[in-house]
Amino acid sequence: MRADGQDQARVGDQGRDHGGGRDQGWVLGPVQGRDAAARADERRRRVRRLSVGAVAALALAGVTTWLVTAPEERPEGEAYAAELDEQAWPDSWPATTGLPLRGSPARTWATEKDELPLPAATAVGSIPKEKVSDGLLRAREFLVAANLDPEVLQGAWPADAMELLDPQQPARAELTEHLREPGLPDADPTELFTRFDPARLTPARGGIRVRGRMAFEAGGAPGQIRIHADYTFVYAVRRVAPRPEPGPAPGTEEVARVVVRRQLVLLYAASDSPGVTAGKLIPAGYRRQLGNHDCGTVDGFVHPYFSKEAAAAERPWPVVDPYDDSKDIPDGRPSCTVPSRT
């Protein structure tokens, strides 16, 4: 098997140190008087800066208390919190449309506009390098069409993704039926497709990231390769109805983040054979893990919780780190998780 992966970059924070001193004098001449006045003005400005900093720190503590103890109430000092740099907010605070990926390790991942890297193609048995490359490209096209296409994310039918699947195989017909009539226990389109209810949610600007890897090997039949894909998608979405979700400070709008990890096994045929169409994909296996999604609602859409909803909801699912892709997704249900972080 051949594989390819990406390493995640880390971004550090920068801080500033402020210091000052004090000058003293006995008898001041004209020039000395002007210098002393300038120093006095500087001392007054320094005192004002320290005072503002102290008030901002108190506001920060007040808003933190509000988030932890009484999310339905607004803190008296929150007006000062709005003036704080959002980069400095604690990671426990809800993200907003201003910085939809604040505090998330996914902020350095590829965006939906970046081309996902592929492993270097080589010949596999009798299948030439060019055919293997085509299979990898088709697999990437499917991942993008099923999870990153702007119209599909807004609830549209995943036509491009479905077109890449082999029409002679029953999997395509089954997925079509699931999309038309979603429901439990075995007709949940979110097993392969990421779509949000356009009447309720829309992706936030700059709030989509993806990271993953792909590998390939000889398939179980002559002229066929087996492609393994393991990708994690992060989406920050905003509420469109009935009104925007208020953020933790005046003038801010909260976003909900959901982390979707998918492990797929796709078969690709380099040539036609009975019941198999050359150049098409067959989904031979797929697992998904949804972090911060309401598994009790199965209507073909992903339903992330906003912070107040998550605090009030009963979520009887295991708590996991949704960014940890070091182990395979467990087989079988539940595929929902309570994320330790988003």
Side-chain angles (χ1 to χ4, degrees):
M1 180 185 297
R2 300 176 182 275
D4 184 57
Q6 301 181 70
D7 294 326
Q8 177 181 340
R10 295 184 178 178
V11 178
D13 296 327
Q14 294 181 341
R16 297 178 181 176
D17 293 327
H18 297 278
R22 183 176 60 180
D23 295 321
Q24 294 181 342
W26 292 101
V27 179
L28 305 179
V31 174
Q32 291 175 309
R34 287 195 296 271
D35 291 342
R39 287 194 294 272
D41 287 342
E42 174 58 26
R43 283 196 294 271
R44 284 193 292 271
R45 284 194 294 271
R46 188 180 305 121
V47 169
R48 283 198 296 269
R49 287 198 298 270
L50 292 173
S51 299
V52 171
V55 172
L58 290 173
L60 183 68
V63 178
T64 302
T65 302
W66 162 65
L67 287 169
V68 173
T69 62
E72 72 281 357
E73 300 176 2
R74 311 294 290 190
E76 293 181 0
E78 69 175 0
Y80 294 101
E83 299 177 3
L84 298 177
D85 185 351
E86 206 167 327
Q87 291 278 15
W89 289 7
D91 287 351
S92 59
W93 288 22
T96 72
T97 53
L99 290 173
L101 293 167
R102 179 184 54 79
S104 169
R107 65 190 182 277
T108 59
W109 295 5
T111 72
E112 73 275 25
K113 297 179 176 63
D114 295 329
E115 192 170 81
L116 303 181
L118 296 174
T122 59
V124 175
S126 62
I127 307 174
K129 173 183 175 180
E130 291 73 22
K131 289 291 185 180
V132 173
S133 178
D134 183 65
L136 296 174
L137 289 170
R138 296 295 179 94
R140 180 169 66 187
E141 288 175 15
F142 180 82
L143 285 165
V144 171
N147 298 281
L148 296 173
D149 182 282
E151 294 184 2
V152 173
L153 291 177
Q154 300 262 15
W157 185 275
D160 291 344
M162 296 295 289
E163 181 61 28
L164 289 164
L165 301 182
D166 192 337
Q168 298 189 69
Q169 293 292 313
R172 177 166 165 173
E174 290 174 2
L175 288 170
T176 299
E177 189 64 24
H178 294 176
L179 285 162
R180 286 176 177 165
E181 297 184 15
L184 290 174
D186 298 315
D188 187 353
T190 63
E191 289 183 341
L192 271 178
F193 307 107
T194 304
R195 300 157 72 225
F196 299 100
D197 184 351
R200 297 181 61 249
L201 302 169
T202 187
R205 184 182 184 89
I208 299 176
R209 294 292 189 274
V210 57
R211 182 183 71 172
R213 51 190 176 270
M214 194 178 294
F216 64 93
E217 61 185 350
Q224 188 180 76
I225 63 171
R226 187 188 307 271
I227 301 169
H228 300 265
D230 187 346
Y231 284 83
T232 300
F233 303 87
V234 179
Y235 308 91
V237 296
R238 51 186 295 267
R239 199 189 297 280
V240 296
R243 61 183 182 276
E245 185 75 9
T252 62
E253 179 184 346
E254 182 182 337
V255 295
R257 287 202 298 245
V258 60
V259 183
V260 181
R261 184 184 173 198
R262 301 195 184 279
Q263 287 187 309
L264 283 71
V265 177
L266 300 169
L267 301 178
Y268 173 81
S271 58
D272 288 329
S273 61
V276 175
T277 306
K280 296 293 185 178
L281 299 171
I282 302 171
Y286 41 89
R287 300 177 185 178
R288 55 104 197 249
Q289 182 172 279
L290 305 181
N292 195 36
H293 162 69
D294 178 9
C295 271
T297 302
V298 179
D299 57 4
F301 301 121
V302 176
H303 292 280
Y305 292 99
F306 286 82
S307 60
K308 293 178 184 177
E309 295 172 335
E314 292 185 11
R315 298 186 290 173
W317 307 300
V319 178
V320 302
D321 181 352
Y323 297 102
D324 183 5
D325 59 0
S326 61
K327 300 178 181 178
D328 286 342
I329 299 172
D331 196 8
R333 291 181 173 82
S335 59
C336 274
T337 63
V338 178
S340 59
R341 54 178 180 157
T342 60

